[in-house]
Amino acid sequence: MQRGVIYSGGNATIITQTTSNGSYFVTAFGINDSGRIVGQGIDPTNAARNVGIVYDFGQNMEFEVGALPGMNGALAFGVSNTGCVVGSSMLNQGSGLPFIWSDQGGMVAIPLATGTSQGAARAVNSAGWVVGNDSSAFSIPFLYDGASIALPI
């Protein structure tokens, strides 16, 4: 069984905590300065569902970021030093839509670039600015400043 691991000071420690529904960490994609780790989890009751999972090292706890309306899961790709999480929310393992999540605001959809039908937010800074890519026939990088999408020219 694949499990998430924290490597520090020459030692690897398996992340054994689970979410309230028993989902567990399998793949880490990002970490912030306070030890909040984001990635993909597995739901033992629905293996087809992606779980956007967060492990908070300081509080020794794990939780899900949830899903956008009409979706049932997510992948969490990045986390800022202020605790904002970004990724892609999807139905089971289908195409995803970019999101930003915070303790205060929950999960919020990031608008897709014109002419695209799917996307993923990949990283976020402490000011809440998000980078990622949207796509349909071609991948298009985007920058989201919390209010609007900016595309490269």
Side-chain angles (χ1 to χ4, degrees):
M1 173 190 299
Q2 181 178 339
R3 293 299 292 255
V5 173
I6 299 170
Y7 184 80
S8 177
N11 295 310
T13 305
I14 296 172
I15 301 172
T16 58
Q17 289 71 19
T18 61
T19 65
S20 59
N21 76 341
S23 294
Y24 56 91
F25 215 110
V26 291
T27 306
F29 295 122
I31 186 171
N32 69 8
D33 290 345
S34 66
R36 190 169 262 196
I37 302 165
V38 297
Q40 176 190 12
I42 296 290
D43 179 346
T45 65
N46 182 358
R49 183 174 83 89
N50 283 320
V51 177
I53 201 161
V54 178
Y55 173 70
D56 192 308
F57 187 77
Q59 296 183 39
N60 195 31
M61 64 171 284
E62 218 168 76
F63 62 91
E64 262 190 74
V65 293
L68 291 171
M71 309 294 184
N72 68 355
L75 294 173
F77 292 121
V79 59
S80 71
N81 284 330
T82 57
C84 290
V85 175
V86 295
S88 184
S89 181
M90 68 279 301
L91 181 61
N92 292 326
Q93 296 178 15
S95 299
L97 298 173
F99 72 84
I100 184 167
W101 176 94
S102 68
D103 289 325
Q104 302 80 19
M107 184 171 279
V108 176
I110 295 173
L112 289 170
T114 302
T116 63
S117 58
Q118 61 188 2
R122 300 293 180 168
V124 57
N125 69 12
S126 293
W129 287 41
V130 179
V131 293
N133 61 296
D134 292 339
S135 64
S136 54
F138 299 98
S139 181
I140 300 170
F142 71 79
L143 170 67
Y144 177 68
D145 66 4
S148 61
I149 291 283
L151 302 173
I153 51 173

